[in-house]
Amino acid sequence: MSKYLKNDAVKQVARNLIMNAAQREKSKAGRVTMPKVFFVVGSVEFAVMIALTFFSLLSAHLPAFAVIFGVFSLAGLALVIVYFNQRIYYTNEMFVYKNFFGIKRACRYDELTGIVIEKDVKLFAGEKKFNIDSMAVGRKEFLRCAEAGYYRAHQTDIPIVPRPKDDIFKGNIKDSEQFVCSYIIIAVCLTILIGLCLYGAKSDAPTENELRVSTVTFERCEVRGERLLLYNGGEKYYCIPYYKELIPDADKFLDDNRNGGTLTLGFIESGDPDKDSVGYYAVYTVESDGKELVTLEKTISINRAKEKKPLSVFASVMIAVWLLVMLTILASIYVGRHVKELSPKVVRIFFRSNVVNWPDPMKTSSEKKRK
């Protein structure tokens, strides 16, 4: 069995376990809730992924993985939100619907005006809409109670409402395809940009095949900050960064070579001749009398350790921007799907008024003045 099929089988088993646990949960009289397994699994996944995201940001080698873990943490957070986003408390005469934000809406069964029966069931009471998730515990008992209550009041069944327009905004936003296309382009471009930035920040270390190895005779050396510069009378100098941490017994090495010497160096050309008065050679390996003093692996490791903090800050900022954009897109989708329930001021934060299919009772201020 291939690795892909094994992973797919594991995911299917995990999904089935969650669904089976949800379906076996017993309902409480007069209450409709989402399965507790959503809250448990979502909380655990969110905590684990946030911890992995944090540790990835701290590591100089794994900032790119923080994006992946951050995305998976949103899946766990979504499960927790789903768990708290639907609470229905009902009697034989009425019910109260409560969402994630604690907003409550009461409705009597005789006020119902329609029902949409799909995977999720939707009840309508004029402009009010109540969604009953297909996984909700106590869903069947509540619907039987609602149908019986409506029948007692009207001597007929709840009217079946035609299926609403099936798009991401439920028909509330004009030209919804353009918005969806824009969301996809923004998400893909931003994700690629973050990947390229992180890759560029980490890909500046050369490979062994890219190094030029040569025996260099230099006339003098000079310490400048944490760098050791070797001059051989040419236009360019040789730079050993963080030499005290790279070279064993660096002080003795400096005393022995202060007035010149011969070393075998592995280096690459650095600097921008158009911007700098002189370029230089960045040294990654050093040999003296056949003894290897500095290795490529050690140089790369110390360079990355020194750059750990700025890279972590850079990665954190980029990931924060990515998450902010993704949350903004998700928020705009939510607002677009709930135009009728939300305040017009909230809707206008994400959409211009002329692209919104406002509910019939909605009048703009200019229309009211003309009347």
Side-chain angles (χ1 to χ4, degrees), residues 196-268:
L196 290 176
C197 290
L198 293 176
Y199 178 79
K202 299 295 294 181
S203 63
D204 54 353
T207 64
E208 190 172 353
N209 293 333
E210 293 173 333
L211 290 179
R212 291 172 54 189
V213 180
S214 178
T215 300
V216 176
T217 299
F218 57 96
E219 301 172 353
R220 64 185 178 89
C221 61
E222 173 187 326
V223 175
R224 188 179 298 173
E226 295 184 312
R227 300 180 299 163
L228 178 62
L229 310 182
L230 309 177
Y231 297 91
N232 68 341
E235 295 182 354
K236 299 182 181 181
Y237 58 87
Y238 297 84
C239 173
I240 304 177
Y242 314 115
Y243 75 99
K244 286 189 175 181
E245 299 179 50
L246 281 173
I247 302 175
D249 200 356
D251 291 335
K252 183 178 184 303
F253 176 88
L254 188 59
D255 290 337
D256 294 342
N257 295 278
R258 190 176 298 277
N259 297 319
T262 300
L263 297 170
T264 300
L265 305 177
F267 55 89
I268 62 171

Side-chain angles (χ1 to χ4, degrees), residues 353-366:
S353 294
N354 61 342
V355 303
V356 179
N357 292 321
W358 296 105
D360 293 337
M362 180 68 63
K363 299 292 182 180
T364 64
S365 57
S366 59

Side-chain angles (χ1 to χ4, degrees), residues 32-317:
V32 179
T33 61
M34 294 303 291
K36 291 185 178 64
V37 67
F38 281 27
F39 175 75
V40 175
V41 173
S43 299
V44 172
E45 181 183 359
F46 180 74
V48 171
M49 291 301 142
I50 286 296
L52 291 175
T53 301
F54 176 75
F55 288 121
S56 297
L57 291 175
L58 293 181
S59 172
H61 304 281
L62 300 174
F65 285 94
V67 175
I68 299 174
F69 294 136
V71 171
F72 281 122
S73 71
L74 295 179
L77 181 61
L79 280 178
V80 175
I81 293 175
V82 167
Y83 173 73
F84 286 106
N85 197 44
Q86 187 170 101
R87 289 285 190 279
I88 300 176
Y89 305 93
Y90 65 94
T91 65
N92 290 332
E93 301 297 329
M94 63 175 295
F95 66 94
V96 176
Y97 189 100
K98 181 180 178 182
N99 65 11
F100 175 77
F101 299 101
I103 299 174
K104 297 179 180 179
R105 292 179 293 164
C107 180
R108 297 178 59 85
Y109 299 130
D110 59 5
E111 297 175 346
L112 295 175
T113 56
I115 184 172
V116 173
I117 302 175
E118 299 172 333
K119 185 177 181 181
D120 295 342
V121 174
K122 299 176 180 64
L123 292 175
F124 295 89
E127 294 298 325
K128 296 180 182 178
K129 183 178 68 174
F130 307 93
N131 185 74
I132 299 90
D133 194 277
S134 61
M135 294 298 299
V137 178
R139 171 175 177 263
K140 294 180 180 178
E141 293 83 353
F142 166 67
L143 290 175
R144 282 197 293 265
C145 186
E147 290 169 353
Y150 185 88
Y151 190 86
R152 285 195 301 270
H154 301 283
Q155 301 302 308
T156 186
D157 295 331
I158 304 174
I160 301 295
V161 176
R163 186 173 180 177
K165 184 178 179 180
D166 189 16
D167 65 32
I168 193 172
F169 297 115
K170 296 184 177 180
N172 294 326
I173 304 299
K174 302 173 184 177
D175 299 324
S176 61
E177 296 81 5
Q178 296 182 15
F179 284 94
V180 174
C181 184
S182 300
Y183 292 158
I184 294 174
I185 293 173
I186 292 172
V188 171
C189 291
L190 190 58
T191 301
I192 293 175
L193 177 62
I194 292 175
L196 290 176
C197 290
L198 293 176
Y199 178 79
K202 299 295 294 181
S203 63
D204 54 353
T207 64
E208 190 172 353
N209 293 333
E210 293 173 333
L211 290 179
R212 291 172 54 189
V213 180
S214 178
T215 300
V216 176
T217 299
F218 57 96
E219 301 172 353
R220 64 185 178 89
C221 61
E222 173 187 326
V223 175
R224 188 179 298 173
E226 295 184 312
R227 300 180 299 163
L228 178 62
L229 310 182
L230 309 177
Y231 297 91
N232 68 341
E235 295 182 354
K236 299 182 181 181
Y237 58 87
Y238 297 84
C239 173
I240 304 177
Y242 314 115
Y243 75 99
K244 286 189 175 181
E245 299 179 50
L246 281 173
I247 302 175
D249 200 356
D251 291 335
K252 183 178 184 303
F253 176 88
L254 188 59
D255 290 337
D256 294 342
N257 295 278
R258 190 176 298 277
N259 297 319
T262 300
L263 297 170
T264 300
L265 305 177
F267 55 89
I268 62 171
E269 187 170 354
S270 296
D272 187 350
D274 296 330
K275 296 181 180 179
D276 302 335
S277 58
V278 62
Y280 67 94
Y281 297 111
V283 176
Y284 284 83
T285 65
V286 179
E287 289 186 18
S288 178
D289 298 327
K291 182 180 179 181
E292 193 173 37
L293 300 180
V294 178
T295 64
L296 176 63
E297 293 77 12
K298 186 176 181 180
T299 304
I300 293 175
S301 176
I302 290 179
N303 285 346
R304 285 179 174 174
K306 292 290 184 179
E307 297 169 358
K308 177 179 178 180
K309 184 175 181 180
L311 277 177
S312 298
V313 172
F314 169 78
S316 300
V317 171

